[in-house]
Amino acid sequence: MTETPLTPNPLTVAALYQFAPFADCAALRAPLQALCDEQGIKGTLLLAPEGINGTVAGTDDAIARLLEHIRALPGCAGLDVKFSTAPAMPFHRMKVRIKREIVTMGQPDIDPLASVGTYVEPQDWNALIADPDTIVIDTRNDYEVAVGTFAGAIDPHTRSFSEFPAWFREQREALLSAGKPPRVAMFCTGGIRCEKSTAFLKAEGVEEVYHLKGGILNYLEQVPEADSLWQGECFVFDQRVTIGHGLAQGSHLLCHACRRPITQADTASPLYEEGVSCPACHGERTDAQRASYRERHRQEALALARGEAHLGARHDLRHDADTSS
């Protein structure tokens, strides 16, 4: 009798955040790291005086234990979590880091716990952004917007979220000088950047400010593709790189030199070299830097062949933007 091979269960990916007043992040870090290590959870969690943010992956039971632990922290009972699945572990290690902000905007007076925009459910988002009187702004970085966005959304062409306040102040007159009080709708991957961007706009005197509850991830999960106004794929901060409707894994790859998403067509470019450069970053790096990346990539390949993790590997994606996404 031939036995049917067992298919491994997909892992749960949890993108989470909560703005909460943490008086002692150092005291919270070690128990979180220990729990994740014990449960085989991998990914990144960021702690800051303003709260927690991160994306992690593990078994259903492991993620449930972690969420139970986080929800017991001060102010975290209402933790915002979005779930998806991955056929294999999308991260290579577990990091719990202490930062100044859980998503870097560089505006210390902005407090999403004190003032934030109006949440809009995914089912109501289409009607809001289709209204010609609504100004729709994508608050994500340029490399994310290039992969996909909502029809008609404004792309600020920012390289990091910390550039958003300066962009808005520079463009404010052009954006909001149409006559009647403006209605502004903003969105991001998982919602956390909009917690700050809507609070920022309200502090700047814009009264009617809205944002997509749960971000693009929630929209792609809740809204059928046939009814969707989303165009393209959504960049995520793990090894899946991009996802589409129903949170299915997308078609993009990752340049391990600059951490930007790339297409299959990009890999045919003479400027592409695996682990070294892609068409987007080739001109941004020196020959010496590319030589260093080339050696790192060679060492990673040797370590992989030995079944080891190379200490210099940079597989986990940057988290300065939006780990929840």
Side-chain angles (χ1 to χ4, degrees), residues 5 13 24 26 50 59 74 126 135 140 222 232 288 309:
V13 180
D24 188 354
E50 64 182 8
T59 64
N126 285 0
I135 299 167
R140 300 171 304 148
Q222 299 292 333

Side-chain angles (χ1 to χ4, degrees), residues 11-275:
L11 294 173
T12 296
V13 180
L16 60 93
Y17 75 87
Q18 180 69 51
F19 285 95
F22 287 168
D24 188 354
C25 293
L28 303 179
R29 181 188 177 280
L32 273 171
Q33 183 74 56
L35 175 60
C36 290
D37 291 344
E38 174 189 311
Q39 295 296 320
I41 296 171
K42 295 182 181 180
T44 298
L45 292 173
L46 303 181
L47 295 171
E50 64 182 8
I52 186 169
N53 175 28
T55 304
V56 292
T59 64
D60 286 348
D61 288 345
I63 295 299
R65 292 186 185 184
L66 174 61
L67 297 182
E68 181 181 11
H69 178 96
I70 295 174
R71 287 188 170 117
L73 300 178
C76 290
L79 181 72
D80 188 293
V81 187
K82 284 164 287 300
F83 298 102
S84 57
T85 60
M89 175 56 73
F91 301 108
H92 288 255
R93 53 184 173 173
M94 182 66 218
K95 300 172 289 185
V96 182
R97 292 178 170 174
I98 297 175
K99 297 280 190 177
R100 293 181 182 178
E101 302 176 70
I102 56 175
V103 58
T104 304
M105 191 182 205
Q107 300 290 313
D109 295 331
I110 297 300
D111 181 7
L113 291 175
S115 177
V116 73
T118 301
Y119 296 100
V120 180
E121 296 289 344
Q123 293 80 4
D124 301 321
W125 182 250
N126 285 0
L128 174 65
I129 68 172
D131 189 324
D133 291 329
T134 301
I135 299 167
V136 186
I137 302 175
D138 192 331
T139 66
R140 300 171 304 148
N141 301 332
D142 51 8
Y143 62 90
E144 299 172 80
V145 180
V147 171
T149 190
F150 282 106
I154 295 171
D155 177 8
H157 296 286
T158 50
R159 292 172 298 175
S160 69
F161 186 52
S162 60
E163 295 179 0
F164 183 83
W167 171 84
F168 177 77
R169 286 166 176 156
E170 290 172 359
Q171 299 297 320
R172 178 184 180 121
E173 187 66 24
L175 289 170
L176 308 182
S177 62
K180 63 179 182 178
R183 178 195 301 140
V184 179
M186 295 188 284
F187 62 93
C188 60
T189 308
I192 186 170
R193 278 176 278 192
C194 287
E195 299 276 1
K196 282 197 168 182
S197 61
T198 58
F200 171 75
L201 257 67
K202 290 177 75 70
E204 292 287 300
V206 183
E207 295 183 1
E208 200 171 353
V209 186
Y210 302 85
H211 58 122
L212 177 59
K213 186 175 183 181
I216 301 162
L217 298 181
N218 197 28
Y219 182 92
L220 293 178
E221 182 178 22
Q222 299 292 333
V223 177
E225 185 171 1
D227 301 328
S228 176
L229 295 181
W230 178 260
Q231 299 175 338
E233 297 177 351
C234 177
F235 182 81
V236 290
F237 294 86
D238 60 55
Q239 292 300 315
R240 295 172 297 172
V241 187
T242 59
I243 59 173
H245 288 89
L247 305 185
Q249 184 162 341
S251 62
H252 284 73
L253 307 171
L254 187 72
C255 172
H256 286 285
C258 68
R259 324 305 292 170
R260 293 185 180 103
I262 55 177
T263 65
Q264 287 287 351
D266 289 329
T267 65
S269 167
L271 301 180
Y272 174 77
E273 183 179 348
E274 186 177 358

